[in-house]
């Protein structure tokens, strides 16, 4: 009886060890490739054609009826090449899947004895297998022609997740840049070259993968499909003519089917707060940096006041709370949607349109208030406990003003103001400029010098994270003008404003 138990124990132990061992084995999935090679003109089968693949697998030759087969090919995407003396090489792309035979067919053309085809393009960049590439990629390749014929190139780019294929006719250049690639996506690319005499010649297929999550410090808004859509982006390191290339690493974060705007980033919480039209009102939502996990934060009171697109809120108290306006009142709410609280009420019933807070004083706020038509603007600092005005930054002026921000130490304030002092029923702004106010200093404020021209507006000014410069929107004052986002630094005002993002506005930089 004891021997029986020992035997059962040993058998069970052996099976357990075998199971654990099997779990650690890497299973290599394989399939096969088969096909046929014929003469393009006569249709005759071609024998002894050399068949190779990239990535490399095995090399075979066609039989007497032009057929070939490659067995035990590892699952992957391949470029299959057919070569025979006297014929131009042929290339076909295919995908090998587990236990399935991929079929390809070649129709080879006779090589032109008077004019030779171009060389097979060599793919230079990005390198095959490269990972964590930005969402804007520059493709570089090389090719030559024995007779120095003029060559024309086509870039084929396939999205490995959706199988969507882009065929881009590049022309004679050997570089091409593609923007707005998708996150964490494998792409396959191939270059085809033609001299307009011989059959086109295709390169091998190369692959790369985009980064999982870009380090995009900028947030902004674009108009798309009739809605406001939030994007993130970065500043390119590539400089042309003294200026960086704009629209780098642009990533769409919200759907064009919803109206989402005024993004505000929290690097502490790794969240983005933003406004969205919901149920006939405007509420605050949050999402991750990649646009996922969207949550509605406000519920009891929506964001409200003069013109929804003119309203601003802010992260506060080490990003544990959000302050936002509701007509003449300032409310706070915790970042998870709890803790709704009234923080401040204007003494004159004016609407609060914008709020900003310094980093190192939780009891101080910077407010911009106005009447129901957007004018009679006041910009001032106030304490929450007790409820009291502190420093008046701007009042008793005609025209529109706003775009407020305050420094970490609460000693400097940014705002914009229409120097024309225009007031009209359509709230049209004619010549808005950026002003810097230093609290406690005489002869304030000072206009921040930029390359703005007459008939253009600088709007939505915000300090850079280091407070060494400013980011802002510039747009002409005519109806339908296209806005853009620029930056300028305090110690470099002799230089041109740096264009960061075209067709964009409502910037946030953290």
């Amino acid at each position: 009886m004891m021997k029986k138990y020992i035997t059962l124990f040993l058998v069970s132990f052996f099976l357990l060890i075998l199971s654990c061992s099997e779990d650690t084995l890497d299973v290599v999935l394989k399939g096969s490739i088969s096909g046929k090679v014929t003469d393009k003109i006569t249709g005759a089968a071609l024998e002894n054609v050399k068949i190779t693949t990239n990535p490399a697998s095995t090399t075979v030759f066609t039989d007497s009826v032009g057929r070939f087969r490659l067995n035990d090919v590892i699952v992957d995407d391949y470029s299959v090449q057919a070569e025979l003396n006297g014929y131009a090489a042929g290339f076909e792309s295919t995908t090998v899947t587990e236990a399935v035979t991929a079929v390809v067919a070649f129709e080879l053309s006779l090589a032109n004895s008077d004019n030779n085809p171009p060389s097979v393009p060599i793919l230079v960049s990005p390198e095959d297998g490269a990972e964590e590439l930005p969402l804007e990629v520059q493709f570089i390749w090389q090719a030559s022609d024995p007779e120095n014929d003029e060559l024309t190139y086509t870039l084929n780019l396939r999205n490995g997740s959706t199988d969507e294929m882009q065929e881009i006719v590049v022309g004679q250049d050997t570089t091409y840049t593609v923007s707005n690639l998708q996150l964490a996506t494998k792409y396959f690319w191939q270059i085809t070259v033609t001299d307009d005499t011989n059959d086109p010649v295709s390169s091998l297929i190369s692959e790369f993968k985009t980064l999982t999550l870009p380090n995009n410090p900028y947030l902004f808004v674009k108009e798309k499909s009739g809605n406001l859509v939030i994007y993130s982006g970065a500043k390119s390191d590539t400089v042309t003519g003294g200026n960086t290339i704009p629209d780098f690493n642009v990533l769409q974060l919200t759907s064009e089917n919803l109206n989402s705007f005024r993004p505000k980033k929290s690097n502490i919480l790794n969240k983005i707060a933003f406004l969205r039209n919901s149920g006939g009102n405007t509420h605050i939502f949050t999402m991750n940096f990649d646009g996922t996990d969207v949550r509605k934060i406000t519920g009891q009171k929506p964001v409200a006041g003069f013109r929804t697109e003119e309203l601003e809120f802010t992260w506060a108290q080490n990003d544990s709370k959000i302050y936002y306006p509701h007509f003449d009142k300032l409310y706070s709410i915790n970042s998870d949607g709890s803790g709704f609280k009234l923080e401040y009420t204007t003494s004159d019933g004016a609407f609060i349109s914008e709020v900003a807070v310094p980093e190192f004083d939780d009891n101080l706020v910077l407010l911009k208030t106005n009447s129901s038509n957007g004018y009679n603007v006041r910009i001032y600092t106030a304490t929450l406990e007790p409820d009291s005005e502190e420093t008046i930054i701007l009042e008793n002026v005609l025209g529109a003003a706003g775009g407020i921000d305050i420094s970490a130490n609460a000693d400097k304030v940014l705002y914009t103001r229409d120097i024309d002092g225009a007031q009209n029923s359509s709230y049209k702004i004619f010549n808005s400029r950026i002003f810097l106010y230093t609290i406690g200093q005489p002869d304030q404020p000072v206009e921040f010098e930029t390359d703005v021209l007459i008939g253009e507006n600088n709007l939505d000014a915000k300090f850079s994270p280091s407070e060494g410069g400013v980011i802002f929107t510039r747009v002409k004052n005519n109806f339908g003008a296209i806005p853009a986002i620029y930056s300028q630094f305090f110690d470099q005002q002799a230089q041109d404003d740096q264009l960061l993002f075209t067709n964009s506005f409502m910037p946030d930089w953290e």
Side-chain angles (χ1 to χ4, degrees), residues 344 346-348 364-369 376-383 388-397 404 406 410-415 436-446:
Y344 181 86
T346 60
S347 59
D348 57 359
L364 191 72
V365 294
L366 175 68
L367 299 173
K368 174 228 165 174
T369 66
N376 300 317
V377 173
R378 298 183 74 235
I379 298 175
Y380 60 95
T381 60
T383 57
S388 173
E389 292 186 10
E390 291 292 307
T391 303
I392 307 300
I393 310 298
L394 182 71
E395 66 177 353
N396 299 324
V397 296
I404 64 172
I406 189 168
D411 59 344
K412 291 182 174 63
V413 170
L414 275 179
Y415 66 91
L436 178 66
Y437 187 102
T438 302
I439 295 175
Q441 296 293 321
D443 301 323
Q444 300 298 323
V446 176

Side-chain angles (χ1 to χ4, degrees), residues 111 182-183 188 213-214 245 274 283 459 502:
Q182 293 182 355
L183 282 175
F188 302 88
L213 184 65
I245 297 175
F274 62 98
H283 285 277
L459 304 167
T502 61

Side-chain angles (χ1 to χ4, degrees), residues 56 108 139 215 235 261 283 374 390 501:
L108 301 187
F139 297 90
N215 181 23
K235 183 177 180 180
F261 52 102
H283 285 277
E390 291 292 307
F501 304 100

Side-chain angles (χ1 to χ4, degrees), residues 117 160 217 287 374 441 471 503:
M287 61 182 171
Q441 296 293 321
I471 189 172
N503 195 20

Side-chain angles (χ1 to χ4, degrees), residues 167-407:
E167 185 174 286
I168 304 165
V169 178
V170 178
Q172 298 174 28
D173 292 335
T174 56
T175 64
Y176 190 82
T177 300
V178 176
S179 304
N180 299 325
L181 299 177
Q182 293 182 355
L183 282 175
T185 301
K186 182 180 285 188
Y187 285 89
F188 302 88
W189 68 291
Q190 184 179 42
I191 294 294
T192 299
V193 58
T194 178
D195 59 2
D196 290 329
T197 300
N198 296 278
D199 286 341
V201 178
S202 297
S203 71
L204 300 176
I205 295 176
S206 183
E207 65 180 59
F208 64 91
K209 189 174 182 180
T210 54
L211 45 75
T212 303
L213 184 65
N215 181 23
N216 282 353
Y218 301 99
L219 297 174
F220 49 92
V221 169
K222 292 175 177 285
E223 186 173 350
K224 186 176 182 180
S225 301
N227 280 316
L228 301 183
V229 182
I230 298 172
Y231 293 77
S232 70
K235 183 177 180 180
S236 173
D237 293 329
T238 304
V239 178
T240 302
N243 295 314
T244 56
I245 297 175
D247 301 316
F248 181 69
N249 235 27
V250 171
L251 172 65
Q252 182 175 331
L253 300 179
T254 61
S255 170
E256 58 266 32
N257 297 319
L258 298 167
N259 205 43
S260 308
F261 52 102
R262 289 290 176 200
K264 302 286 183 183
K265 181 188 285 188
S266 168
N267 286 325
I268 296 174
L269 303 180
N270 292 325
K271 292 286 184 180
I272 298 169
F274 62 98
L275 300 183
R276 172 174 285 175
N277 296 137
S278 174
N281 290 308
T282 301
H283 285 277
I284 298 175
F285 290 72
T286 62
M287 61 182 171
N288 294 334
F289 286 173
D290 63 357
T292 60
D293 192 25
V294 176
R295 299 186 181 188
K296 183 179 177 182
I297 301 302
T298 53
Q300 290 179 263
K301 293 284 185 181
V303 179
F306 168 74
R307 293 202 176 192
T308 302
E309 66 273 15
E310 299 293 334
L311 303 179
E312 287 205 38
F313 64 95
T314 187
W315 292 99
Q317 299 190 29
N318 211 29
D319 293 357
S320 64
K321 293 182 178 294
I322 293 174
Y323 292 166
Y324 70 94
H326 180 85
F327 297 111
D328 64 336
K329 294 176 173 55
L330 182 71
Y331 289 101
S332 69
I333 194 165
N334 294 337
S335 58
D336 62 359
S338 64
F340 175 72
K341 178 185 176 183
L342 174 64
E343 295 283 357
Y344 181 86
T345 302
T346 60
S347 59
D348 57 359
F351 290 178
I352 299 173
S353 290
E354 301 179 35
V355 56
V357 296
E359 185 176 352
F360 302 123
D361 189 344
D362 290 340
N363 193 43
L364 191 72
V365 294
L366 175 68
L367 299 173
K368 174 228 165 174
T369 66
N370 49 256
S371 58
S372 59
N373 64 0
Y375 301 118
N376 300 317
V377 173
R378 298 183 74 235
I379 298 175
Y380 60 95
T381 60
T383 57
L384 300 180
E385 294 182 6
D387 186 328
S388 173
E389 292 186 10
E390 291 292 307
T391 303
I392 307 300
I393 310 298
L394 182 71
E395 66 177 353
N396 299 324
V397 296
L398 295 175
I404 64 172
D405 197 14
I406 189 168
S407 63

Side-chain angles (χ1 to χ4, degrees), residues 367-489:
L367 299 173
K368 174 228 165 174
T369 66
N370 49 256
S371 58
S372 59
N373 64 0
Y375 301 118
N376 300 317
V377 173
R378 298 183 74 235
I379 298 175
Y380 60 95
T381 60
T383 57
L384 300 180
E385 294 182 6
D387 186 328
S388 173
E389 292 186 10
E390 291 292 307
T391 303
I392 307 300
I393 310 298
L394 182 71
E395 66 177 353
N396 299 324
V397 296
L398 295 175
I404 64 172
D405 197 14
I406 189 168
S407 63
N409 290 321
D411 59 344
K412 291 182 174 63
V413 170
L414 275 179
Y415 66 91
T416 62
R417 181 173 71 84
D418 186 356
I419 59 175
D420 282 10
Q423 299 193 166
N424 49 79
S425 59
S426 62
Y427 198 68
K428 181 174 181 178
I429 301 172
F430 289 87
N431 284 288
S432 179
R433 301 295 182 261
I434 301 171
F435 291 88
L436 178 66
Y437 187 102
T438 302
I439 295 175
Q441 296 293 321
D443 301 323
Q444 300 298 323
V446 176
E447 183 176 343
F448 182 76
E449 295 183 6
T450 67
D451 299 329
V452 65
L453 302 175
I454 299 239
E456 293 180 332
N457 291 314
N458 284 342
L459 304 167
D460 295 329
K462 296 291 179 287
F463 284 114
S464 68
S466 68
E467 299 181 4
V470 175
I471 189 172
F472 56 94
T473 299
R474 176 171 296 147
V475 61
K476 293 181 178 180
N477 64 27
N478 59 290
F479 178 78
I482 298 174
I485 294 173
Y486 290 81
S487 67
Q488 179 61 277
F489 292 87

